[in-house]
Amino acid sequence: MEETMNFTFDGNISREVLENYLSRSVTAAGLYESKTLEDDLRAIREMGVKFLGRASGIWYMTMDDEEHFRLSKELADKVHAQDPEVILQSCVFEWITRRMETVEIPDYVFEAFGMEPEHRSFRLDDALFTDESSGYTSRRDDPAKDGGIPDLSRQEARLWFYYRATRYIDCGYEALHMGQVHLYTANDKGMAKTAELFGMIRAYARIHGRRHKILLDAHTHGVNIRGKLLFDYHAMPFTRMPLLEVPGEELVLVREGYSEGGENPNGWSAKTMPYLMEYDNWGGLVVDDREKIPREELAWRDWWGYDQIAWFANQPEASRNHFLEYTYKWTEINNPNAYFELPFRRMIHNAEVFMKRGDNGEMDAQDFYQINTKSAACPMGFDQEETAKRLWATGHSLREQAANPEMLIRYGAENVYDEETGMKLPEKIVVYGSFQSHVGAVKNDSNSELTRMYYIGDNTYTLSVVIPFAGTYDYSVATYGTLSATYQSDGYPRSGSSNKAHFTTQKDNMVVRFRYQFITNKVTVEMFE
C-alpha cells in the first residue's frame, strides 16, 4: 500500500500529499534526547513512519540552547539519511522562561522585523502578559522554570517565536506545532500580528527550508481570517467518558473534533481541513493517591487519575492493543478528515510503568512510553509496533464504508420536505439505548446530542459508532428526541422507553451504523470489522 502513496512536495503541499503524511504520523516527543535512538530509527523504518510529531522542542529550558539545537539537527540528519521523505516536527510552545535571557538575538531576527540589530539577549518581562491576574505568569526561583505564557501582541514575544521557528527550520524540521495558540494570542485582536508573524516564518522556510515549506499546526479547531486559514492543518487531543459499567478502568472517546474550513495556506480550499488527534500529556499521574479515591470519583479525574498517555501506558498490553485499535477505528469513522497520530514516544512523568527489562530480565521503572518491540536495543519498549503496522495496513476502508459526515456540527434536514407527501422532515433524530454508555453518552438518553443522527439525503439519517466490547445491546430511534414515537426494525411506532430492539457485536471494536428512513420508518443496523 505504501508504494502507491505520494510523499512528494516542494514549496507547497497538495491535500493528497498532506493527508498521506498525516496518515503515517506518530507522536515522537523529545526523540532528539532518546537513549534508544538506533532502535527508534529501526522502528520508524519498519513501521513506515513518515511524520515524526514533536520530535524536538522545549517547555522548560533545562538544557543549553545551542546543545539543544545541535542534538535536534543531529536527529534530523540521521532520520533523513535513512529516509529523506520523513517530515520532522518541532514545537514552539506557549511557555517561556527566564533562561531565554541567556540567548543572544541574532542580527537576522532584528532585520526581519525592520529593526536595527543590537547586542542584547531576549527579555522575559518584555514578552510576558503584564496583567498577572490572568494567571499567565508563574514566578519561581529556578530560571529554567520562572516564566509564563508569552503575549504575542508584544514584539519581544514575536521575536522569540520567530527565532525558535527559524532555528528549527535550519535544523531540517519541516513542521512546527505552535502549542495552545488561543492562550498566547489573547491580546492580539483578530490574531493580526500572529498571522503576520506566521507569514514571516513561512517566508523564511521558502528560502531556507529543505523543501521550501514549513507546515504549521496548533491545538485548535481552526482559525479562519477573511476566508484564509492560519494553519496548514489542525491538531487536538481526544475527549473521553469513563465507562463505569465495565470492570477495571475503561473509558470511551466522545464524538467531537470539528476542523474549520477555508482557504489553506497552500492554495487549496475545503469545507473541513485535515487534522490530527493524539493522546496528550500534561503531567502523568494527576492525583496524589489513586488507591484512596473511590472508583466513581477517580473515573472523572482526567483519565482515571492520569493524563491521556499515562493512562494508556499503564494499561496491560492486551488492553493497550485493544484501545489502540479502538482509537484508530473511532477516528476513521468520526470524521473522514481526522487522522490518529499514533503514540511512538511520549513522557509519562511520575506515572512510571514497572516492567521486566528486555536486556537483563530485571524489573525496572519506565517513565517514557515507547512503541518499540522490547529487545536488548530497547529494553523498556511497550511491544506495540506490530499492532500499529496492522492498523495502518487496513488503510481507510472503514472510513470509505461507514464514516459519519465531515461536517460533524451540522446534522442537516433544515427545511427539508418529503417530495411525495410534503411532510417536513424532523431535524433531530436520536438513536438511544443501552449501547450509549459505550460511545460516551448517557444510557437511554433519547435527547443525546452524542448519538444524534445525521441527515444524508433521500429521507435517510445515519450514525456510525464504535462498540469497544462484544455483547448484546438494545436500541431504538426517537424522532425529535421524544418518546411519543420511537422506531425499531419493523417500522411500527411505539411509545415509551421500554420498547427496544437488540443488536449483537460478535467481536470487540466493531463499527455499528444505524440507518433510519423517514416516512417508511425503516430502521436497519449494519456492522463492520
Side-chain angles (χ1 to χ4, degrees), residues 364-394:
D364 201 353
Q366 169 67 301
D367 61 357
F368 262 86
Y369 169 83
Q370 294 182 276
I371 201 172
N372 310 47
T373 299
K374 185 182 294 185
S375 67
C378 185
M380 303 288 277
F382 281 70
D383 283 326
Q384 293 195 271
E385 282 182 53
E386 295 305 315
T387 300
K389 286 193 284 188
R390 176 177 60 81
L391 293 174
W392 276 354
T394 65

Side-chain angles (χ1 to χ4, degrees), residues 138-174:
S138 179
R139 297 303 186 189
R140 308 185 196 184
D141 293 332
D142 185 350
K145 297 184 178 181
D146 176 37
I149 296 173
D151 179 355
L152 226 62
S153 72
R154 307 186 74 186
Q155 185 164 264
E156 192 76 4
R158 298 198 301 280
L159 289 172
W160 175 254
F161 268 55
Y162 182 78
Y163 166 73
R164 298 211 70 79
T166 55
R167 288 297 303 269
Y168 289 123
I169 292 169
D170 289 342
C171 289
Y173 290 71
E174 297 174 293

Side-chain angles (χ1 to χ4, degrees), residues 170-186:
D170 289 342
C171 289
Y173 290 71
E174 297 174 293
L176 291 173
H177 174 69
M178 306 303 291
Q180 296 193 53
V181 63
H182 299 284
L183 299 186
Y184 57 76
T185 61

Side-chain angles (χ1 to χ4, degrees), residues 408-425:
L408 280 181
I409 61 173
R410 299 179 187 172
Y411 293 93
E414 300 92 350
N415 296 314
V416 177
Y417 294 81
D418 175 54
E419 292 185 1
E420 181 179 351
T421 65
M423 291 183 65
K424 186 179 184 298
L425 274 66

Side-chain angles (χ1 to χ4, degrees), residues 46-62:
E46 293 184 6
M47 288 174 59
V49 174
K50 291 294 185 178
F51 185 99
L52 289 167
R54 298 176 182 245
S56 185
I58 60 169
W59 186 261
Y60 297 127
M61 292 185 70
T62 56

Side-chain angles (χ1 to χ4, degrees), residues 275-506:
Y275 65 100
L276 289 175
M277 301 196 77
E278 62 177 345
Y279 299 153
D280 203 358
N281 82 281
W282 55 84
L285 190 63
V286 298
V287 297
D288 292 331
D289 192 343
R290 298 181 72 256
E291 303 305 319
K292 293 183 178 179
I293 301 174
R295 182 172 184 264
E296 291 74 14
E297 180 181 341
L298 186 65
W300 295 99
R301 299 282 192 94
D302 290 352
W303 287 35
W304 291 93
Y306 298 103
D307 67 17
Q308 296 182 0
I309 187 63
W311 172 85
F312 176 73
N314 275 273
Q315 302 307 300
E317 182 177 343
S319 297
R320 288 199 313 274
N321 287 330
H322 181 279
F323 196 75
L324 207 66
E325 178 186 50
Y326 165 76
T327 307
Y328 186 84
K329 290 183 174 181
W330 184 95
T331 307
E332 285 290 301
I333 69 160
N334 273 290
N335 197 315
N337 300 295
Y339 295 88
F340 176 26
E341 189 174 14
L342 293 173
F344 185 90
R345 182 181 192 272
R346 195 123 204 207
M347 64 187 71
I348 54 179
H349 299 284
N350 59 349
E352 299 98 334
V353 176
F354 289 87
M355 64 173 70
K356 185 179 291 187
R357 294 180 63 93
D359 48 5
N360 57 23
E362 297 181 358
M363 294 298 294
D364 201 353
Q366 169 67 301
D367 61 357
F368 262 86
Y369 169 83
Q370 294 182 276
I371 201 172
N372 310 47
T373 299
K374 185 182 294 185
S375 67
C378 185
M380 303 288 277
F382 281 70
D383 283 326
Q384 293 195 271
E385 282 182 53
E386 295 305 315
T387 300
K389 286 193 284 188
R390 176 177 60 81
L391 293 174
W392 276 354
T394 65
H396 301 302
S397 57
L398 275 178
R399 179 170 298 194
E400 294 161 1
Q401 293 175 304
N404 290 313
E406 67 174 9
M407 299 297 285
L408 280 181
I409 61 173
R410 299 179 187 172
Y411 293 93
E414 300 92 350
N415 296 314
V416 177
Y417 294 81
D418 175 54
E419 292 185 1
E420 181 179 351
T421 65
M423 291 183 65
K424 186 179 184 298
L425 274 66
E427 288 187 34
K428 186 171 184 178
I429 301 287
V430 176
V431 57
Y432 68 99
S434 63
F435 77 94
Q436 282 177 293
S437 59
H438 286 65
V439 299
V442 175
K443 184 164 60 175
N444 294 320
D445 180 5
S446 62
N447 263 291
S448 174
E449 289 293 301
L450 291 175
T451 57
R452 184 173 172 178
M453 304 181 79
Y454 293 98
Y455 180 66
I456 62 170
D458 194 27
N459 282 17
T460 303
Y461 301 76
T462 65
L463 176 68
S464 295
V465 298
V466 182
I467 304 296
F469 299 104
T472 297
Y473 305 89
D474 62 35
Y475 75 94
S476 191
V477 171
T479 56
Y480 301 99
T482 70
L483 298 178
S484 58
T486 65
Y487 298 91
Q488 295 86 45
S489 55
D490 62 6
Y492 287 97
R494 269 86 173 182
S495 177
S497 61
S498 60
N499 298 291
K500 304 271 184 54
H502 295 82
F503 67 89
T504 299
T505 55
Q506 301 292 342

